Amino acid sequence: MPSSVFLNPQMEEEYQEWMFWRNRDLHTTLGSIMVGLVFLCAIPDYLYSPLDYKMLLTFRFGLFAPLMSILLFLMMKESIFHKHTYKILFSMAVVSFFSYLTSGVLSTQNSSFYYMLSLVSCYLIVGMFVTLPFPPQVFLSLLSIVCLYAVDKTGAVVYDTLFVRSLFWMNVIFLIRAFFCQAAYRELFLMHHVCHKDTTLLEKEKNITERLLLNILPASIVDRVKQKESIADRFQMCSVIFAEIKGLEDPNNNNTPEELFTILNQVFTLIDQRISLFGLEKIKTISNCYLAVSGVPIANDRHLESAVSFAFDMLETVRKYNNDYGRNLTIRIGLHCGQIICGVIGQLKTIYDVWGDTCNVASRMQYYSQPWKIHVSEIVHDLIKHKYWFEDRGILAIKGKGQMHTFFIGGILNEYDSVEGNLQEKEVAKKVVIPSQSEQAFSIVDTLRKGNPHFNRFSLKFFSDQVEGNFHYRYCAFIRQTMGISYVWNTIFQLLYIAVDIKNLPHVHDAIIVYIVMKVFCVVGLISLALICFIPSSVEWYVKNNQVPCMINYIISASYPLINGAFVSPIFYWYLFLSFLFDVVQRAYLRWHIPFSLVTFTLFQVLHNIQGTFKLSAFEYTIANWLWVIVLTVMIVAHYFMEITERLDFLVDILLREQKVEISKEKEQSEKLLKNILPEPVVDALKRSNKVDPERYSDVTVLWSDIVGFTDFCSNKTPAEVVNCLDTLFSEFDKFTVEYGLEKIKTVGDAFVVAGGLPLKSQDHAPKVVRFAFVMIETIKKFNAQSGLNLNIRIGIHTGSCVTGIIGIKKFTYELIGEAVRIANQLESSSQAGKILISQNVANLLEKDKFVLSEHQIINTADQGDLNTYFVVAKFV
């Protein structure tokens, strides 16, 4: 069980903050009652102290009432009360105590009433305002004992040495209860603290994962992917940009592959930092090529102007990079506009991709462009010729497209202002602010207070029986040991006062019998209650029958003052009101407090009026009834707000746990999606340092494939049909990728790229990749048979070196750069439909008795010069 103060100052500060917000309504309500009592006591001043009321009213309205009003005003000012909670509460307790104590001293006829109210005011603060640290509670209790003892020495009415001594022991029990009650609150705070800490940690991890996801997929697409929605959208008019960085492999530079990777990363990072200023969406990088679209996934009427402005900005970005780093890079750009299809396909390495003839034309524009030029189609020229000036290139023979009239964009016409200023949207990094525990608890509780649909504020029961049952179980289990400590000390109190009671007990047979029965009942009952609270096996019984221990404790608390008041001395009747105050610290349901209290008061009336018992004087009896009304009213109000707070605490706990589970699910979902896109080691590195150092592999096998006939297929199909077709094929490829232990690298339109021997190195990567290629061909054949289509696949495979890592800061993927990728791509272009073309490097790694090769031709590569190639025509199991 926590101590009275947390050792960690920050934790203690958070606890006091938490307690302030949770008890805010209790503070203000009971503070108002205390101030109201100070004013209302003017009535008994006038009625019962006619000789002294002028002096009483002078002190009351001249000193104490203004002080209490000022303190209440400060309490109502949330900012002030929040900052000076302890000082205001403590001051209110002291002022209230001395107001009644002073009235008792000054009053010659009504002193006992005020002395009792002074005690009530102290216990009200100690019992209700549990935000006070334990030392001030001790001080207030000692203050009440010392002052009343000093008053007793002056010969005050009602009080005697027996009462003052008893008051000391009752204060001890009260403080012990208050200590363990506060410890229980601290334990509850720790439960919330741990839950909040776990939730905060999960939230941070989820935000990191979400941030990485948003760097791979557009925000609107991430939500749809999480919902497992099939994403296939057709955009009738948008712009596509292809840009290629040249000069990376200048022989004069002698750069290592890792250095080339770093250079490319630096350039693309600079471009990534600029792209959102023009409203474009980066799709991917393909080796040293950069693909972006304008007007996707959110349509934009000025997509073409945005794309052109971004293209010019790319030229300036690369020029600036060259100047800053002393490089000699060049860039060539292709731009085309038209209809495209966008979607997410496959089960592994899912990315938001684009397909269609517009993409192919943009790629061809880039291929036939020149350094530092923006090469565009005739459609682009016709749409913006009134805004830009162009250099006519005439008719060019474009591979796969035939004769096309193309242009270079020269610049902006004088009379047309750049659209960049209109399109720029300053990117403001949105810092995720995770509220502190106290702020979060206040936010939740405040929301629940303003509109609470969970429980009835009059009956104080949850509408849901299941929630009510869960609340009851936690509530009872939580206070079980705290109440057990209280029962033990109450037992000690009862035993200590047996000798005192016997000395004062009248030698009347009936009184002795009643006393013995009462005392045996009290002691046996309290011991039984303590055992029930401390025996672990009794938890279930205690939870199910919690009203029974509460009822027994009430009867014991009330029977001692009632029986002793009736048969020992009427002085003990005053304990009745103190027992009410003790019960305030008990965390029991209000619907149990009220009937028990009414029964107790009824017993007081009966015992006081039956024959043969001690009785208070008529004046003291009137005072007793006044005190009963005051104490019972305060108790009901206090318990009403305390139980509401308990129930709100329970709801906060449920909401925090639900929030934790929800965040955990979202985190797992995002984590799964992220690790489906990037290799797990890459994800871990990005989370740790937000970067991945390039890694060189000297021996990997890369497969590059392309679906033959897919562009024609797209021309007369709906977006859903196009995406579903690719998704079906690529999902099958993904499944076999896992089966063969390969790493899917990316999809580029209808191209599918995998690699063997990374990120985990292996010796048999080449045979695995070739076997996987045969599976791809068989998959295409089965798909054609089921769908009635006539698609085919062209495959190229090469084994060589490459560098892997993450390029850029937006829409990044796990990238491979190097001769293994370039030659595999070149082999795919030189291959034939339904065939697997491999390089000499791959052939050297294949087992001759497992594969049948057919020599194809020698092709010239930029990396290895002339290279022998082979078709793999068969494989043996």
Side-chain angles (χ1 to χ4, degrees), residues 129-148:
F129 296 155
V130 288
T131 54
L132 277 177
F134 193 64
Q137 294 186 27
V138 175
F139 176 81
L140 289 173
S141 292
L142 292 176
L143 179 67
S144 66
I145 295 170
V146 171
C147 291
L148 291 175

Side-chain angles (χ1 to χ4, degrees), residues 806-824:
I806 297 295
I807 289 183
I809 58 173
K810 289 182 180 292
K811 305 299 180 292
F812 47 63
T813 57
Y814 185 59
E815 193 70 66
L816 267 67
I817 293 178
E819 54 110 350
V821 183
R822 288 190 295 271
I823 295 178

Side-chain angles (χ1 to χ4, degrees), residues 262-506:
T262 301
I263 293 171
L264 192 60
N265 181 43
Q266 291 172 341
V267 174
F268 283 167
T269 296
L270 292 173
I271 294 174
D272 285 346
Q273 291 171 345
R274 302 284 298 169
I275 187 170
S276 59
L277 300 177
F278 299 87
L280 272 74
E281 186 74 29
K282 176 183 175 182
I283 299 300
K284 68 176 77 172
T285 57
I286 309 164
S287 187
N288 59 332
C289 292
Y290 193 99
L291 171 60
V293 294
S294 180
V296 171
I298 300 173
N300 176 12
D301 292 337
R302 305 183 71 187
H303 60 87
L304 188 51
E305 292 90 334
S306 301
V308 173
S309 296
F310 176 60
F312 278 112
D313 191 79
M314 291 176 80
L315 298 179
E316 290 304 315
T317 299
V318 177
R319 285 194 181 100
K320 187 175 184 304
Y321 176 81
N322 286 337
N323 293 332
D324 293 344
Y325 290 88
R327 305 290 183 190
N328 192 29
L329 303 180
T330 61
I331 182 173
R332 62 186 190 190
I333 300 173
L335 173 62
H336 183 58
C337 63
Q339 175 183 276
I340 64 171
I341 296 171
C342 307
V344 177
I345 57 172
Q347 298 176 351
L348 295 175
K349 303 296 183 292
T350 50
I351 64 168
Y352 186 66
D353 212 342
V354 293
W355 303 274
D357 190 58
T358 302
C359 301
N360 296 333
V361 173
S363 175
R364 295 304 180 192
M365 291 297 102
Q366 176 273 129
Y367 184 80
Y368 287 95
S369 184
Q370 295 176 5
W372 306 109
K373 297 288 187 178
I374 304 172
H375 192 203
V376 302
S377 61
E378 187 174 14
I379 295 175
V380 173
H381 168 266
D382 293 343
L383 288 173
I384 57 173
K385 61 184 178 182
H386 61 291
K387 300 176 181 179
Y388 297 87
W389 61 270
F390 291 84
E391 178 186 340
D392 193 339
R393 296 197 70 190
I395 305 297
L396 296 181
I398 305 296
K399 181 181 178 181
K401 295 298 169 186
Q403 302 294 313
M404 290 187 67
H405 192 182
T406 65
F407 302 81
F408 288 133
I409 300 181
I412 304 171
L413 293 175
N414 293 332
E415 63 270 19
Y416 178 70
D417 294 329
S418 171
V419 299
E420 178 183 349
N422 298 325
L423 293 173
Q424 280 192 0
E425 296 177 4
K426 299 273 184 172
E427 274 197 325
V428 179
K430 293 184 179 179
K431 184 180 179 182
V432 179
V433 179
I434 299 175
S436 67
Q437 178 180 356
S438 56
E439 291 172 336
Q440 187 178 30
F442 163 66
S443 175
I444 296 173
V445 171
D446 204 48
T447 302
L448 291 173
R449 279 194 179 110
K450 289 176 181 176
N452 170 43
H454 302 279
F455 64 86
N456 190 311
R457 284 182 173 267
F458 296 98
S459 65
L460 292 180
K461 287 189 69 176
F462 287 103
F463 295 121
S464 166
D465 292 337
Q466 182 179 357
V467 176
E468 179 67 24
N470 292 339
F471 169 72
H472 179 72
Y473 183 89
R474 192 194 79 161
Y475 181 84
C476 296
F478 189 66
I479 66 171
R480 187 172 58 93
Q481 292 189 355
T482 302
M483 295 307 301
I485 298 291
S486 174
Y487 298 147
V488 169
W489 278 99
N490 207 355
T491 304
I492 295 172
F493 172 78
Q494 296 285 347
L495 294 174
L496 285 173
Y497 264 79
I498 290 177
V500 178
D501 292 343
I502 291 174
K503 184 190 293 186
N504 293 277
L505 194 66

Side-chain angles (χ1 to χ4, degrees), residues 505-532:
L505 194 66
H507 298 293
V508 179
H509 181 268
D510 291 343
I512 294 173
I513 294 299
V514 171
Y515 175 81
I516 292 173
V517 172
M518 178 274 299
K519 187 60 69 173
V520 170
F521 168 76
C522 289
V523 173
V524 172
L526 288 169
I527 292 174
S528 301
L529 292 177
L531 290 174
I532 289 171

Side-chain angles (χ1 to χ4, degrees), residues 179-235:
F179 174 83
F180 283 100
C181 184
Q182 191 173 108
Y185 281 121
R186 289 175 181 273
E187 196 169 312
L188 178 63
F189 168 77
L190 282 177
M191 290 168 55
H192 284 319
H193 180 78
V194 170
C195 187
H196 177 266
K197 187 177 180 180
D198 292 344
T199 304
T200 301
L201 184 61
L202 284 171
E203 183 76 25
K204 287 180 178 178
E205 292 176 354
K206 189 196 84 161
N207 289 336
I208 291 172
T209 304
E210 288 286 340
R211 176 177 55 78
L212 293 176
L213 268 179
L214 293 175
N215 272 339
I216 299 172
L217 298 171
S220 59
I221 302 301
V222 169
D223 295 333
R224 294 169 67 184
V225 171
K226 286 182 179 180
Q227 298 300 322
K228 297 184 178 179
E229 178 184 341
S230 178
I231 300 172
D233 303 318
R234 184 190 294 274
F235 290 85

Side-chain angles (χ1 to χ4, degrees), residues 560-573:
Y560 178 76
L562 285 173
I563 300 299
N564 275 28
F567 296 104
V568 178
S569 169
I571 193 79
F572 282 94
Y573 281 129

